[in-house]
Amino acid sequence: MEKFLTITLKESNSSMHKIAKSVAVVLITLAATACSSKKGEDPQMTKSSPEVLYSQARTSMELGNYSKAVRSLEALDSRFPFGPHKTQVQLDLIYAYYKLDDPASGIANIDRFIRLNPTHKDIDYVYYMRGLVNMQSDRYLFHDMLNIDRSDRDPKAAQDAFKDFDRLIKSYPNSKYAADAQKRMQHLKNRLALYSIKVAEYYIKMNAWSAAAVRAQSVLETYPGTPSAEKALEIMSTAYGELGQEKLKDHALMVMKANFPNNALVTK
């Protein structure tokens, strides 16, 4: 089990970039995932013992054939729900669905595991995987492939991932996954802050100056220390100027000068 429990930020990013090199690989993966959800395609599985099925699943995972592993694990899970490998089967299914880029099935299995095994010794891993799967759901492969900036997309999955990692760190601070979760939370903070900037910029286009200022202010309050802070202060300064709120504008510029002295708004 240990081999499948550690997933570093570098590993997951590397895997995504490798997939992004070829649309064909994506299509093959999707086709394999679809096939994995069909029950009863392999009559041999209906006759195999739980030991044989689990051995087949582990071998498939070792070889990186996660669609085949899922078929064996699903057969085990449905035919032997109380078998000797029941919890490990569920953990392996979570990992296999993650590797197949199937967040819907991954989250469903994660939530079921948490509901049925709230005190399991590997529950910290399950919360960690929930964060990873939600991060995976937040990414859109074809945008990555074409270098399209979609930081304005719905941030719900990113917000859920942030909550998952936050829960892991607060509930299991000594978990071996806590350090990596912390790094991922910073990445998510940057992503969520940038989303708020995109919203504020939209308000500016609509001449909704008050809404723009409030949204930019939320970046400083909710996501302090992110790269979007400078842009948030720029928006606040501009919005308060348009609203005739000179004191608030001057305050924003003062904060800008203290933190970003080279910004054009304070050097001109």
Side-chain angles (χ1 to χ4, degrees):
M1 178 180 69
E2 189 69 25
K3 181 172 181 179
F4 300 110
L5 293 187
T6 302
I7 304 171
T8 65
L9 182 59
K10 181 178 179 181
E11 177 194 344
S12 65
N13 288 341
S14 175
S15 297
M16 185 61 70
H17 289 312
K18 288 178 182 178
I19 297 174
K21 290 181 179 178
S22 170
V23 175
V25 174
V26 177
L27 297 176
I28 291 171
T29 301
L30 291 175
T33 304
C35 291
S36 72
S37 64
K38 298 178 181 179
K39 308 288 183 176
E41 288 189 349
D42 186 354
Q44 188 62 37
M45 286 191 179
T46 64
K47 302 176 183 178
S48 299
S49 68
E51 289 74 18
V52 169
L53 282 174
Y54 189 65
S55 177
Q56 290 174 347
R58 296 298 294 184
T59 298
S60 296
M61 292 182 76
E62 290 280 356
L63 296 174
N65 190 344
Y66 295 102
S67 58
K68 185 175 181 180
V70 162
R71 290 196 295 273
S72 298
L73 292 167
E74 285 181 341
L76 261 173
D77 196 39
S78 61
R79 290 182 56 212
F80 307 101
F82 305 106
H85 306 293
K86 61 179 181 179
T87 54
Q88 188 57 49
V89 165
Q90 293 168 18
L91 289 171
D92 288 345
L93 266 174
I94 290 168
Y95 183 82
Y97 280 129
Y98 172 75
K99 297 298 287 185
L100 285 174
D101 195 11
D102 185 354
S105 297
I107 291 294
N109 278 270
I110 286 168
D111 288 347
R112 181 183 69 157
F113 188 94
I114 292 172
R115 185 177 67 253
L116 297 177
N117 309 277
T119 60
H120 191 274
K121 65 182 179 65
D122 291 320
I123 197 67
D124 60 329
Y125 163 74
V126 178
Y127 280 117
Y128 174 68
M129 284 302 301
R130 199 177 199 284
L132 287 185
V133 172
N134 274 316
M135 280 189 74
Q136 185 180 65
S137 183
D138 183 59
R139 301 188 67 174
Y140 187 51
L141 177 60
F142 293 102
H143 290 157
D144 290 342
M145 291 169 61
L146 300 174
N147 291 320
I148 297 173
D149 178 16
R150 282 306 314 275
S151 52
D152 60 344
R153 65 192 181 277
D154 183 355
K156 185 181 184 306
Q159 292 168 339
D160 289 343
F162 189 90
K163 292 176 183 176
D164 293 329
F165 291 134
D166 187 55
R167 179 186 302 167
L168 166 64
I169 291 170
K170 289 179 178 177
S171 299
Y172 310 96
N174 297 322
S175 169
K176 62 183 177 181
Y177 308 106
D180 188 66
Q182 188 70 59
K183 294 178 183 177
R184 291 175 188 275
M185 286 179 72
Q186 185 59 53
H187 169 81
L188 290 164
K189 280 177 65 176
N190 294 343
R191 184 265 193 265
L192 293 169
L194 186 55
Y195 173 79
S196 286
I197 291 296
K198 296 292 185 181
V199 173
E201 289 176 335
Y202 171 77
Y203 287 144
I204 287 177
K205 291 179 181 179
M206 301 299 292
N207 294 324
W209 302 107
S210 180
V214 169
R215 193 74 186 210
Q217 176 84 27
S218 73
V219 172
L220 301 180
E221 295 175 347
T222 309
Y223 310 112
T226 63
S228 295
E230 184 173 5
K231 186 63 178 179
L233 288 166
E234 291 177 1
I235 292 172
M236 290 168 65
S237 174
T238 301
Y240 289 139
E242 293 289 338
L243 292 167
Q245 299 285 343
E246 293 303 320
K247 287 186 178 180
L248 291 175
K249 176 182 177 180
D250 290 343
H251 178 72
L253 289 173
M254 181 182 69
V255 176
M256 174 83 77
K257 186 174 183 178
N259 291 276
F260 307 101
N262 296 321
N263 187 277
L265 291 180
V266 295
T267 57
K268 61 181 180 181

